[in-house]
Amino acid sequence: MLQKLMAWLRPEKTNDDMRSEMEFHLASRRADLVRNGMSEDEAERQARIEFGSQNRYQEEGRAALGLRVFDEIRNDAGYCLRLLAASPGFAVATISILAIAIGVNTAFFTLYSNYVLKPMAIPRVDQHFRAETRDVNQRGAGGFSEAEMETLAASTRGVVDGIYGVSTIQVLLLKPEQRHAMVSVVSKQYFPLLDGRPALGQIPVNEMQSQPIAVLSSVGHARLFPASQNPVGESIRVRDRLYRIAAVMPATFQGTEPVVPDLWVGLGMQPFLRGEADTGPPRTQVHGFTATGASFTQAATALTSIASRLSRPNGEPIARVQITPMSTMLPEIAEQSLVSLLIFTAFLLVLLIACANLTNLNLARSAVREHEIGMRIQLGASTGRIVRQLLTESVITGTIGAGLGMLLALAGIERAQDMVASMSGIAGLTMQPVTPDWRTFAYSAVLGLLAGVGFGLLPALELSKPKSIGRARPRRMRNALIAGQVAASLVLLLFAGLLTRNMQKLDSIEAGFDLEHTYDLRMDASPQVIAAIEKMPEVEMLSAVSSVPLMGSGMRRNATIAGRRERIQFNHVDEKYLPLLQLPVEGRNFERNETVGRAHVAIISRATAARLFPGRPAIGGTFELDETDAGTYQVIGVVPDVISGFIFMGPDRTAVYLPGAAGQKGMESLLARIPASASTATRALRQMCLDMPGGTGCDPTSLQTLARMQRFPFALAAALAAVLGSIALLLTAIGLYSVVSYSVVQRRREIGIQMALGAMPRNVIFGLLRESSRCVAYGLLAGLPVCLLLSQLASSTVIVWDTFDPLAYALVPLLLAAVAALAAIVPARAASRLDPIEALRQD
Amino acid sequence: MPESILPGTLDLLILKAVSLGPQHGYGVLLRIEQMSGGKLGIEQGALYPALYRLETGGLIEAEWGQSDNNRRAKFYTLTTTGRKRLKEELGRWERLSEGMSMVLSAKGIA
C-alpha cells in the first residue's frame, strides 16, 4: 500500500521505470534481430511490431499496479476544479455554505476539546483529581486548611500521592494601577506537585505562605507590567499590603483552572487579600494525585476516613470526600455531558441543514449537468465510475469548505472568547488560551469528508441513473429535504426564542428593591471610612451588612419556635439597611442602640412570618436561635419579600434580619444608595478610598451589574442559539429558493403551456407555492414535537423556568413560514413572467 | 508460425520461466520461446502488464540490476508465495490437460 502511495505521489518515476524497462526490451530484441542478419532499420521496425503498442501496455501496466483508481481520482479532481472555476457563482455559494457550517462546528469543537478533551500540561495528569467535601445533607462542607492538607496527605500515603489547594478570587489591585486581577491562592505543595518552574526568578514555596510574595503568570506579566522585561522585584498592592514579585511563570504554566490567574500568592495570605483578618486558618478546595496503582475510589475512601475525623470549625463535620478525576480543565461529568450533547447537536444540526441544502443545490444543478453525464454514459462510463466522479467532486468541495471553515474558526475563536469574557461582566477575566491541535484538524477534516459524501451521494446516485425512469422521486426527495431543513431550523430558532424569553423574564424579575441605585462598595467598613463616605454629597445613605444581596444565599441557622426546628436564612444589618433598600417596615425598624448592642430583636420577611407564625400575628412573637447568636429573639417588624440570593433563585423563602453595626465582627460589607450619575459618584468614591490613610481601595459596583452577571449563562446560551438559528434560517431560505428555481426550470414547458392556455401569472405563482408550502408545513409539524421533547430534556439540566412559551411557539413558526414564502415567491414570480412562446420553444 | 498461447495461461508461463532463476522481461520472453521450442508466441508487450500484476500480487519480486550487455534492466525473482502458487497451478494444469486430452482423444468420431 505504501509502495502504491509512493508510486501515486511520484507518477513520473513509475512511468519512467516502465518506459525504460520496455525500451530495454526493444533494444535487446533489436540487437538479437540484427545479429540474425537484419538491417538496423528493419530490426527496429520488426521489434516494434512484435512488441505492440507501448502506450497501451504502459496504461495496462498502471492498472495492473493498482494505480488506475488513483489516476482517475486525480483526473476527476482536476476536472472538478475546472468545473468549479467555470461556474464561480455555484462554487462560491457551495463553499461558503460549507465553510460557515464547518467553521462554527470546528470553533465549538476546538473550545470543547481544549477544556474537556485535551489533557492538561501537568505531570501525572491521569492521576490528577479534584476533591470536594460533603456534609450529611450532601451540601459542600468547606475546604481544607494547610495543616489539614498535610494531615490528609500524610495519613493517606500509598493511596494518595500529593495534595494541593487552589482557589481563584478576584481582587482589586491598587498598584501598579487600580484594576481588577484574578489571584490564585495556593497551598505549599502547589508548585512542587505541578512541577511549576519559573521563567524568571525563584519561587519561595515556604516563605510565600507567611509573607506577601507573589508569583506572576505570563498573562499577568503582559497585563500588569507590559513595559517591564523582568518584573521580578517589582511589587503589587492589594488592600494595605505590598506583595513583592518573586518569580514569573512561563506561558506553558497556566494553572489547573479554566481561568488563568494573573498572580499566585500563598494560601496564608488569603485573609489579607479578602480583608478578613481573624476568621481562623484559611481554607481552600483541594486537588491531588492518586498514588501509582491506586484507584480514584480507593483515594476517595481513604480521604473520607481521614477527613471525617478532622475537628472542623462551626461543627460542620465532613461526611464524605467526593473525587472527580481531572485530567482535563473541565472534567466530563454526567450533568455536563448532557448539556454538551445538546450543544453539539445544535451545531451539527447547522451542518446537517447545510448538507441538505447543498444536496438540493446539486440536484437543482443536475438539470444543467444531465446532458454532460448522459454523454459520458453514452461513451461507456459505468454507473460506478460516474458516482465516483461526482463523489470526488463533492468531497473536494467538502475539503475546500473544511479548510476554509477551519481558518474561519481559528480567526473567530479568540474573538468569541473575548466576547464571552466581556459578556460575563467579570473584569480582568482571561480564559485559558485555546490552541488548535490535531483534534481540531481531524474534526474539521472528518466533517468536510462526511459533508462531502453526505451532500454528494444522493445527487450522484440520481444523476448516474438512466434518465427516463423515476422522475418523480428526486422531487419528492428534494421536498423531504426541505421539510427536514425547516424542521431543524425550527428547533434551533425555537430554542433561541425560548432562551431569549427566559432571559427577558429574568430581566423583568423584581428583586423587590431598586437594584440600579444600590451599590456594593466592596471595601473594608472601618469606622473612619464610613465617617468619610457619609460626608460625601454623592452618597445618600450608607449601611453596613454582613452579606450583600445577590451574592448567593446567606448564612442559614436553626431556629426553634414552639419546639419546632426550622432552617432559616439570616443576615445581620444595621438600622439603615431597610430604609436604604426602601423596604416599608410593618411594626418598627431597628434602632441605633439595638444594632450597636446586638439586641435580641428581629425583623422578618412576609414569607418567614407565614412559615414561623402561621395564622397568628408575627410581631411580638419570639423564636430561639442556637449556634453563634444563641438566645430568644422577639420579632419587631415584618418586611416584604425580596431576592437576596442569586437572581434566578427567586425571592427568599426565608429571610430574618438581625441587628448589627459597622465595626462588629462579620459586618464587613458596605452598601450605599447613590441616586445620581453613577460614574461621577463611583470615581469620587474610588479616589476617596485611595486617599484614606491606610486605605484599602474600593470598587463600588451597582447591584444591577451583579444581576447582569447572573444572567450571563442565559444570555450566552440565547446568543448562541440565535446565531445558530439565524444561520439555519438563512440556509433554509437559500435551499427553498434553489428548489423552487429548479422546479421552475424543470417545468418551463408546463408553465408555458398553462400560460398559453390563458393561465394568469397569479395562478402560476400559486401553483408553484402550493408545493413548497406543503413541505414547509410538514417541516413545521415534524419540528414542533422535537422541540417540545428537547426543551423538556433541557429544563432538567439547565435552569429554564418556562419550556412552553406561547409567544415563542407562535412567533417562530410564523417567522419561518414568512421567510420560506419569500424565498419561494421570488423565483415563482420570475416564472410567471415567462414568455410562453420562449418557454415552449426550448428543448 | 508459433501458436498464440491459451488465454489465462500467461501468468503460469511467466511464473515457470522466472522459477528457473532471476530474469528480466525480455529474458522471460526468450526463455518461454526457447523452452517451447519456438511453438508458443506471446505478444511481447503483453508480458509487462502481466509481470506488474504478478508483482502487485506478491508472487514475484523486482529489482533493478545490470544485464549481460551492461544495460540497466529490471530483474524478476519468484517469491515464496509465488513458488507455492506455481506448484498449485502446475497441478491444476496437469489435471486439466489430462482431462482435455482424454476427452479429445476418445475414439469414435475421428
Side-chain angles (χ1 to χ4, degrees):
Chain A
M1 192 62 214
L2 193 70
Q3 213 176 354
K4 264 191 207 177
L5 201 66
M6 288 300 292
W8 180 63
L9 289 172
R10 298 171 59 196
E12 303 78 24
K13 170 98 171 66
T14 320
N15 286 343
D16 284 352
D17 280 358
M18 276 188 204
R19 199 171 307 123
S20 77
E21 193 178 5
M22 291 179 185
E23 287 299 333
F24 168 78
H25 181 117
L26 286 168
S28 305
R29 183 70 186 160
R30 203 165 51 220
D32 281 354
L33 289 172
V34 169
R35 207 170 307 132
N36 288 348
M38 254 186 215
S39 73
E40 281 281 348
D41 285 354
E42 205 163 335
E44 169 78 29
R45 217 172 69 84
Q46 182 64 26
R48 290 213 179 271
I49 289 173
E50 283 178 0
F51 192 87
S53 161
Q54 203 179 334
N55 280 340
R56 183 185 134 200
Y57 290 124
Q58 212 165 316
E59 185 83 354
E60 284 183 16
R62 286 187 68 77
L65 283 174
L67 296 178
R68 256 265 285 286
V69 177
F70 292 114
D71 290 351
E72 283 174 8
I73 290 177
R74 202 174 36 224
N75 288 342
D76 284 351
Y79 180 70
C80 159
L81 290 178
R82 285 196 297 281
L83 211 65
L84 282 176
S87 48
F90 175 77
V92 168
T94 311
I95 291 172
S96 44
I97 286 175
L98 265 180
I100 292 172
I102 294 181
V104 290
N105 272 285
T106 306
F108 174 66
F109 176 78
T110 308
L111 285 172
Y112 181 81
S113 149
N114 259 265
Y115 292 125
V116 185
L117 298 181
K118 198 165 150 187
M120 288 186 279
I122 57 169
R124 296 187 290 159
V125 70
D126 291 329
Q127 287 152 265
H128 189 231
F129 63 79
R130 183 178 68 198
E132 282 157 306
T133 55
R134 293 278 179 269
D135 66 8
V136 279
N137 299 318
Q138 297 302 316
R139 279 193 294 251
F144 294 103
S145 68
E146 184 79 56
E148 286 172 341
M149 276 181 242
E150 271 167 27
T151 312
L152 282 175
S155 330
T156 54
R157 201 158 284 152
V159 183
V160 175
D161 189 8
I163 285 180
Y164 70 90
V166 57
S167 57
T168 302
I169 54 176
Q170 189 194 38
V171 298
L172 182 67
L173 295 187
L174 301 178
K175 197 191 154 193
E177 52 178 335
Q178 181 159 260
R179 65 181 301 167
H180 286 104
M182 301 305 283
V183 175
S184 275
V185 180
V186 298
S187 72
K188 214 182 282 181
Q189 289 297 315
Y190 179 84
F191 286 110
L193 279 175
L194 295 179
D195 197 21
R197 291 177 198 168
L200 299 167
Q202 296 285 326
I203 304 174
V205 173
N206 290 319
E207 290 90 322
M208 69 188 280
Q209 291 303 325
S210 54
Q211 289 167 37
I213 295 173
V215 174
L216 207 56
S217 72
S218 58
V219 171
H221 182 184
R223 191 173 318 157
L224 303 174
F225 299 98
S228 168
Q229 279 287 324
N230 184 356
V232 171
E234 305 252 8
S235 60
I236 55 132
R237 185 179 150 201
V238 182
R239 296 179 176 273
D240 50 351
R241 256 160 224 257
L242 280 177
Y243 293 74
R244 184 175 61 81
I245 289 168
V248 180
M249 299 306 284
T252 46
F253 188 89
Q254 310 267 24
T256 51
E257 292 181 296
V259 172
V260 185
D262 295 299
L263 316 146
W264 288 273
V265 302
L267 176 58
M269 291 292 109
Q270 179 165 290
F272 305 104
L273 286 178
R274 290 205 162 138
E276 298 160 346
D278 43 334
T279 47
R283 297 170 177 282
T284 175
Q285 293 302 324
V286 303
H287 296 220
F289 296 90
T290 56
T292 315
S295 70
F296 289 110
T297 327
Q298 284 171 325
T301 316
L303 286 173
T304 301
S305 84
I306 304 299
S308 56
R309 274 181 261 148
L310 293 172
S311 79
R312 304 276 293 173
N314 309 336
E316 269 183 280
I318 294 169
R320 198 158 57 89
V321 176
Q322 190 176 310
I323 275 185
T324 316
M326 229 180 102
S327 58
T328 58
M329 285 290 167
L330 296 175
E332 185 77 75
I333 49 176
E335 305 100 70
Q336 267 171 25
S337 52
L338 186 55
V339 175
S340 27
L341 186 73
L342 276 175
I343 303 179
F344 264 115
T345 313
F347 275 90
L348 286 175
L349 260 185
V350 171
L351 187 62
L352 215 62
I353 293 176
C355 282
N357 233 298
L358 293 177
T359 308
N360 264 331
L361 269 181
N362 266 337
L363 280 174
R365 217 165 74 109
S366 57
V368 187
R369 295 196 63 178
E370 243 159 26
H371 197 66
E372 170 211 334
I373 302 289
M375 185 103 87
R376 289 187 77 135
I377 294 176
Q378 292 290 318
L379 288 176
S382 65
T383 306
R385 185 72 191 79
I386 299 280
V387 169
R388 201 157 71 204
Q389 182 207 333
L390 292 170
L391 269 189
T392 309
E393 281 182 34
S394 60
V395 166
I396 284 180
T397 327
T399 313
I400 300 176
L404 276 179
M406 203 167 67
L407 290 181
L408 265 181
L410 296 186
I413 276 181
E414 223 167 297
R415 220 153 294 161
Q417 258 192 321
D418 288 348
M419 215 168 72
V420 169
S422 72
M423 254 172 102
S424 76
I426 301 168
L429 184 75
T430 308
M431 303 291 284
Q432 286 278 359
V434 166
T435 43
D437 57 359
W438 61 269
R439 292 181 186 85
T440 310
F441 284 94
Y443 189 73
S444 45
V446 167
L447 283 189
L449 210 67
L450 283 182
V453 175
F455 75 78
L457 195 61
L458 279 179
L461 290 178
E462 207 49 55
L463 263 175
S464 63
K465 237 179 269 165
K467 203 182 161 187
S468 54
I469 48 167
R471 274 293 86 173
R473 232 172 59 82
R475 188 188 290 176
R476 215 178 304 151
M477 186 164 75
R478 281 196 317 278
N479 288 348
L481 282 169
I482 282 288
Q485 283 183 61
V486 170
S489 311
L490 180 73
V491 170
L492 286 171
L493 282 171
L494 251 182
F495 248 82
L498 282 179
L499 285 164
T500 314
R501 289 286 292 164
N502 272 307
M503 203 177 62
Q504 278 174 357
K505 277 179 200 155
L506 210 58
D507 281 347
S508 63
I509 281 181
E510 293 286 330
F513 55 93
D514 181 2
L515 288 173
E516 197 187 338
H517 296 113
T518 308
Y519 278 74
D520 176 9
L521 293 187
R522 300 206 194 180
M523 62 182 299
D524 293 356
S526 70
Q528 76 240 65
V529 177
I530 293 174
I533 295 176
E534 271 178 333
K535 282 191 209 111
M536 292 179 70
E538 292 91 349
V539 175
E540 188 186 293
M541 198 181 275
L542 197 64
S543 162
V545 291
S546 59
S547 40
V548 172
L550 303 190
M551 294 290 272
S553 37
M555 301 167 285
R556 281 166 202 283
R557 300 254 174 83
N558 288 325
T560 315
I561 304 126
R564 196 156 46 92
R565 269 162 84 87
E566 294 268 359
R567 200 137 176 98
I568 285 179
Q569 180 180 301
F570 285 86
N571 199 2
H572 284 96
V573 302
D574 68 8
E575 71 282 1
K576 303 224 189 80
Y577 182 76
L578 298 171
L580 189 143
L581 296 189
Q582 298 177 322
L583 293 180
V585 186
E586 229 176 281
R588 69 172 178 87
N589 190 10
F590 298 129
E591 276 158 20
R592 178 76 191 157
N593 60 345
E594 285 170 334
T595 58
V596 173
R598 290 222 169 187
H600 283 194
V601 288
I603 295 173
I604 62 176
S605 71
R606 282 191 193 135
T608 320
R611 187 150 150 196
L612 296 188
F613 307 99
R616 55 203 156 101
I619 296 173
T622 58
F623 58 91
E624 303 278 337
L625 277 188
D626 44 20
E627 298 169 34
T628 334
D629 299 288
T632 307
Y633 285 77
Q634 187 181 26
V635 178
I636 57 167
V638 175
V639 287
D641 295 320
V642 295
I643 301 180
S644 61
F646 293 118
I647 199 110
F648 49 79
M649 291 165 72
D652 306 334
R653 259 165 297 171
T654 55
V656 171
Y657 304 93
L658 298 180
Q664 291 170 354
K665 190 180 163 213
M667 296 291 291
E668 269 106 14
S669 300
L670 273 185
L671 278 184
R673 185 170 168 78
I674 302 177
S677 155
S679 60
T680 44
T682 50
R683 216 174 306 128
L685 267 167
R686 281 214 172 98
Q687 194 54 49
M688 193 226 63
C689 290
L690 270 185
D691 294 344
M692 290 291 291
T696 54
C698 59
D699 179 29
T701 308
S702 158
L703 293 192
Q704 186 89 60
T705 314
L706 281 180
R708 280 209 196 101
M709 243 145 74
Q710 287 165 19
R711 72 190 248 285
F712 162 68
F714 299 90
L716 185 66
L720 194 68
V723 166
L724 291 181
S726 341
I727 294 178
L729 186 64
L730 183 74
L731 292 180
T732 308
I734 296 175
L736 258 175
Y737 180 87
S738 70
V739 164
V740 178
S741 308
Y742 175 57
S743 55
V744 168
V745 172
Q746 228 184 8
R747 287 152 68 179
R748 268 175 98 89
R749 276 173 76 90
E750 186 191 322
I751 295 169
I753 291 171
Q754 280 179 7
M755 310 242 324
L757 291 176
M760 301 293 288
R762 205 178 27 190
N763 305 35
V764 173
I765 296 179
F766 277 139
L768 284 166
L769 284 188
R770 199 176 308 136
E771 193 173 315
S772 52
S773 58
R774 202 180 312 139
C775 31
V776 171
Y778 285 145
L780 292 179
L781 281 179
L784 279 171
V786 178
C787 285
L788 283 170
L789 205 79
L790 276 178
S791 58
Q792 284 306 320
L793 197 65
S795 67
S796 65
T797 57
V798 196
I799 305 167
V800 177
W801 289 311
D802 200 351
T803 50
F804 184 82
D805 183 82
L807 195 65
Y809 271 86
L811 278 184
V812 170
L814 269 180
L815 174 75
L816 249 173
V819 171
L822 200 69
I825 278 178
V826 176
R829 267 177 63 94
S832 72
R833 291 202 212 96
L834 269 180
D835 180 356
I837 309 289
E838 276 289 310
L840 288 171
R841 200 183 284 151
Q842 271 198 344
D843 275 351
Chain B
M1 192 60 192
E3 297 284 339
S4 24
I5 57 165
L6 283 174
T9 53
L10 181 56
D11 288 9
L12 180 57
L13 292 175
I14 294 175
L15 285 179
K16 178 70 191 175
V18 173
S19 74
L20 301 176
Q23 194 53 273
H24 49 69
Y26 184 57
V28 170
L29 177 82
L30 288 184
R31 208 175 258 179
I32 292 173
E33 284 185 350
Q34 201 183 7
M35 287 190 302
S36 69
K39 284 190 189 137
L40 290 182
I42 301 173
E43 205 191 352
Q44 298 180 8
L47 195 61
Y48 291 92
L51 281 170
Y52 300 149
R53 194 164 51 239
L54 293 172
E55 191 189 343
T56 313
L59 301 179
I60 55 176
E61 275 172 349
E63 202 177 349
W64 286 92
Q66 294 288 323
S67 74
D68 298 340
N69 52 5
N70 269 336
R71 286 191 54 165
R72 212 169 78 93
K74 204 169 165 192
F75 285 85
Y76 295 92
T77 338
L78 207 60
T79 63
T80 328
T81 333
R83 199 166 297 283
K84 226 166 74 191
R85 174 70 65 84
L86 177 61
K87 224 172 130 190
E88 287 166 16
E89 293 287 317
L90 278 177
R92 242 167 48 131
W93 174 256
E94 267 159 26
R95 285 195 300 280
L96 182 74
S97 61
E98 205 179 323
M100 287 284 287
S101 44
M102 275 169 75
V103 171
L104 297 179
S105 61
K107 304 229 161 64
I109 301 168

